[in-house]
């Protein structure tokens, strides 16, 4: 009898647990639903010198609303200057946002992220303990604005090197 009761509890409990986890992840992703769609615009990146580019982004909610997929390509004339693919999600185990990203030149990382004041912010650790910090938000014109800056390990603002503004198609 004990085993029958255990089997019944497992069968009833696991679907409920799965539903609860899915609902939590969906709720955590909801504030960023404004990103979903096709975007295009312009930006600039300064490494050794400032380079302007045209950007296209395709953003989709995936996995039953528990993750966001981002695909972006930047062009300067006919040359691809930036290509990236990322998955943004709520990590149920760590109870935090994560961004797994991959670039066209073979780099990849999983970064910690936060959503605060309707902004998506993530930091990538680079050499010497410094970071690259990216921030995406929606401006008053409903455009996607993204900035990137080099940041010191102590979190103090660093040097801006990336900016772009995109409009939904």
């Amino acid at each position: 009898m004990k085993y029958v009761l255990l089997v019944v509890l497992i069968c009833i409990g696991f679907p409920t647990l799965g539903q609860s986890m899915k609902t939590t992840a969906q709720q955590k992703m909801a504030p960023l639903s404004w990103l979903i769609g096709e975007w295009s615009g312009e930006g600039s990146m300064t490494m050794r010198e400032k380079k302007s580019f045209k950007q296209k982004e395709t953003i989709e909610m995936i996995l039953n609303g528990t993750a966001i997929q981002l695909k972006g390509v930047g062009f300067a004339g006919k040359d691809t200057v930036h290509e990236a693919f990322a998955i943004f999600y709520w990590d149920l185990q760590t109870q935090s946002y994560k961004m797994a990203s991959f670039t066209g030149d073979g780099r990849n990382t999983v970064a910690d992220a936060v959503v605060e004041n309707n902004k998506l912010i993530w930091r990538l650790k680079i050499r010497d303990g410094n970071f690259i910090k990216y921030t995406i938000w929606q401006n008053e014109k409903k455009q996607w604005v993204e900035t990137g800056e080099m940041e010191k390990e102590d979190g103090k603002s660093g040097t801006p090197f990336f900016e772009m503004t995109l409009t939904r198609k």
Side-chain angles (χ1 to χ4, degrees), residues 28-145:
K28 291 294 186 177
M29 299 311 295
L32 296 172
S33 62
W34 68 266
L35 281 167
I36 307 309
E38 299 281 330
W39 299 83
S40 64
E42 298 183 358
S44 66
M45 192 172 4
T46 304
M47 292 304 185
R48 291 187 177 105
E49 61 186 51
K50 188 172 185 174
K51 293 185 179 183
S52 296
F53 57 89
K54 295 196 180 294
Q55 184 78 12
K56 292 182 181 181
E57 295 275 348
T58 302
I59 314 303
E60 296 178 64
M61 189 71 75
I62 61 170
L63 301 173
N64 202 21
T66 63
I68 293 176
Q69 172 181 291
L70 303 95
K71 291 189 282 185
V73 180
F75 299 95
K78 293 182 179 183
D79 296 331
T80 300
V81 295
H82 176 71
E83 184 175 12
F85 172 82
I87 302 289
F88 178 69
Y89 59 98
W90 177 254
D91 186 326
L92 290 165
Q93 291 181 337
T94 64
Q95 294 293 293
S96 63
Y97 290 103
K98 300 288 184 185
M99 171 82 77
S101 62
F102 308 85
T103 63
D105 61 4
R107 291 178 288 145
N108 62 77
T109 191
V110 175
D112 293 323
V114 296
V115 174
E116 58 185 34
N117 301 321
N118 293 319
K119 293 181 180 181
L120 168 57
I121 303 164
W122 70 101
R123 296 173 77 211
L124 312 170
K125 190 167 189 169
I126 57 172
R127 65 193 178 287
D128 303 327
N130 292 316
F131 293 85
I132 295 176
K133 175 182 163 187
Y134 288 99
T135 305
I136 297 175
W137 71 94
Q138 190 173 35
N139 68 14
E140 64 282 346
K141 295 178 183 178
K142 303 289 186 194
Q143 294 171 305
W144 163 333
V145 179

Side-chain angles (χ1 to χ4, degrees), residues 140-159:
E140 64 282 346
K141 295 178 183 178
K142 303 289 186 194
Q143 294 171 305
W144 163 333
V145 179
E146 184 172 345
T147 58
E149 64 182 309
M150 300 295 210
E151 191 175 70
K152 299 294 181 189
E153 190 169 16
D154 60 11
K156 292 185 179 173
S157 290
T159 307

